[in-house]
Amino acid sequence: MNEPTPEQSKSAQFTSAQPTLEALRLELAELTQAAEHEFNSAISSPQLQQAKTKHLGKSSRLAAIRGGIGSLDKQMRREVGQLCNAASHTIEVALETRQAELLKLERSTQLEAESVDLTEVLGEISVGHFHIITQTRRALEDVFCGMGYQVAEGPEIETEWHNFGALNFPQGHPARDMYDTLYVDWGKPMSTLLRTHTSPVQVRTMTSQPPPIAVVAPGRCFRRDTADATHMPVFHQIEGLLIDRDISLGHLAGTIEAFTSAFFGEGFTSRLRPSYFPFTEPSAEFDIQRPDGSWLELGGSGMVHPNVLEACGIDPQEWSGFAFGFGIDRLAMIRYGVDDLRDLWTGDMRFLKQF
Ligand code: FA5
């Protein structure tokens, strides 16, 4: 059906001959049908808006018929009015139904357009893995847990007492100079520091649980060391502590040997060299020999000094024990054949991906 122009609509206000009720009923039925058809054929909201204006707007044929009601004779007015109301109700319902359908359709089209297909980039994603220092720490924990040790932890920011005092470093003792300490501006001057080793975890363990004790404590340590092939200002150590009755240096040597073969396997050996630490007596440095014959200092060890046991509330007459502490980063170097410790910290994926 062609859309009437405003002029046509006006002229359709039954000025000349009055149409019959039957003719109007038929026309309204046709109008309704045409509107429904056009609404359902609209494929976008703007298109539907156009159809709405055409069928329900001020210039629509329906509006024209309504406008002509006043000129009808009394009898017909009511009936034509009702017919018009019914037609416009049906047309409005059809409009709303299509509006809802189109909205849903348009939303899902929009969602589809905006969605990101992750499978498109799958080819570029490579699966990550733990950093080799973490891998080494985990492997160490595995070996020691297999030997009956539990994993303990301590804070990276420590008190002077836990890092030095309880470990038999008297105030002003030259042994403190072995550790280039980074102090934290907190509390009394030089009372708080970034731990220089994992040995304060010994103190925290002994002051919080009674013997027998068998723990390892891996973690980060900090020193004012200049970065070079075997030193970093931030590095990792793993501490070991065993306290029981009748523990001797033989137990320490046996433990280091058992660890070396469990962790490194064939071709690696270890040696102990006399050394000095204020918190162990006797003390020993231990080194690992690589298959190429070269030696690398790995850490320190010794029998826990009676002063340390006493400071932690453990009776040295009844209990004795050994402790050791070594560098995880240096272990990672040996294990993965890395020549320079600084390479572990570059974050260069070309390097890290190799392990
Ligand atoms: C200690 O720190 C003692 N607490 C170890 C210890 C524990 C002795 C228990 C006795 C009983 P030392 O300063 O030697 O010791 O450090 C131990 C290891 O940490 C070194 O052998 C080295 O492997 C590692 N290490 C020390 N400083 C650095 C650094 N700047 N960068 C990387 N690794 C380091």
Side-chain angles (χ1 to χ4, degrees):
M1 184 186 292
N2 288 330
E3 190 179 359
T5 63
E7 286 67 31
Q8 283 170 335
S9 298
K10 268 180 211 132
S11 69
Q13 289 179 14
F14 326 134
T15 42
S16 49
Q18 179 172 307
T20 63
L21 183 61
E22 215 31 57
L24 282 173
R25 192 194 303 277
L26 204 67
E27 186 176 1
L28 284 168
E30 277 172 9
L31 281 179
T32 309
Q33 226 179 16
E36 282 174 336
H37 175 73
E38 238 173 284
F39 291 165
N40 289 335
S41 319
I43 53 162
S44 68
S45 293
Q47 223 178 352
L48 188 65
Q49 273 305 317
Q50 272 183 359
K52 177 188 171 184
T53 311
K54 175 176 165 185
H55 293 284
L56 291 170
K58 273 192 265 172
S59 312
S60 65
R61 176 67 187 140
L62 183 62
I65 296 173
R66 258 193 221 285
I69 291 177
S71 62
L72 295 173
D73 64 34
K74 253 189 174 177
Q75 250 186 343
M76 271 182 80
R77 271 186 216 162
R78 217 173 126 248
E79 286 182 79
V80 175
Q82 279 173 350
L83 283 176
C84 282
N85 286 348
S88 79
H89 176 72
T90 310
I91 294 174
E92 272 161 19
V93 170
L95 175 73
E96 277 164 26
T97 309
R98 187 60 187 157
Q99 241 161 8
E101 280 172 5
L102 282 179
L103 201 69
K104 215 167 136 189
L105 206 75
E106 282 166 356
R107 273 211 191 121
S108 70
T109 314
Q110 189 185 1
L111 275 181
E112 210 170 296
E114 286 172 3
S115 72
V116 180
D117 181 1
L118 291 177
T119 57
E120 279 177 11
V121 283
L122 254 188
E124 294 162 25
I125 294 176
S126 60
V127 178
H129 62 76
F130 286 116
H131 190 278
I132 59 175
I133 293 176
T134 309
Q135 290 184 40
T136 309
R137 175 176 59 73
R138 292 182 156 215
L140 286 165
E141 286 174 8
D142 269 2
V143 169
F144 284 111
C145 286
M147 290 162 77
Y149 288 76
Q150 288 189 325
V151 178
E153 276 183 5
E156 292 177 349
I157 297 179
E158 262 299 3
T159 66
E160 179 278 334
W161 186 77
H162 286 92
N163 196 83
F164 290 128
L167 289 169
N168 200 32
F169 289 81
Q171 284 285 354
H173 192 278
R176 290 196 185 206
D177 301 341
M178 285 158 50
Y179 301 89
D180 284 320
T181 310
L182 290 153
Y183 287 91
V184 176
D185 189 6
W186 177 263
K188 282 194 203 147
M190 297 176 83
S191 63
T192 314
L193 44 82
L194 296 182
R195 68 178 176 194
T196 57
H197 51 176
T198 41
S199 299
V201 187
Q202 286 187 38
V203 179
R204 291 194 174 270
T205 307
M206 287 191 277
T207 50
S208 64
Q209 68 184 76
I213 292 169
V215 292
V216 284
R220 270 200 300 187
C221 305
F222 310 83
R223 289 184 198 176
R224 277 189 294 116
D225 280 345
T226 308
D228 64 25
T230 53
H231 292 84
M232 287 299 286
V234 181
F235 59 99
H236 300 80
Q237 286 187 346
I238 184 164
E239 192 81 8
L241 174 70
L242 186 124
I243 306 286
D244 210 329
R245 292 187 174 90
D246 305 320
I247 297 298
S248 71
L249 197 63
H251 291 112
L252 169 62
T255 303
I256 299 282
E257 199 49 50
F259 156 74
T260 304
S261 53
F263 187 75
F264 293 105
E266 295 273 304
F268 287 87
T269 49
S270 65
R271 74 176 175 200
L272 293 180
R273 279 182 291 119
S275 185
Y276 171 76
F277 296 100
F279 40 97
T280 46
E281 180 58 36
S283 303
E285 204 93 50
F286 69 91
D287 308 328
I288 296 282
Q289 190 176 35
R290 302 183 246 220
D292 67 3
S294 63
W295 289 93
L296 187 80
E297 176 203 305
L298 212 59
S301 63
M303 301 306 291
V304 179
H305 198 292
N307 288 355
V308 175
L309 293 174
E310 261 170 14
C312 297
I314 292 175
D315 182 0
Q317 302 300 325
E318 190 182 350
W319 303 98
S320 56
F322 62 75
F324 54 84
F326 46 83
I328 297 182
D329 316 63
R330 292 204 190 158
L331 268 179
M333 284 175 79
I334 301 172
R335 197 173 153 102
Y336 295 98
V338 175
D339 297 325
D340 196 317
L341 199 50
R342 288 166 291 192
D343 289 337
L344 300 188
W345 293 86
T346 56
D348 186 337
M349 288 311 291
R350 288 166 302 180
F351 171 78
L352 294 172
K353 265 180 173 170
Q354 302 173 81
F355 308 103

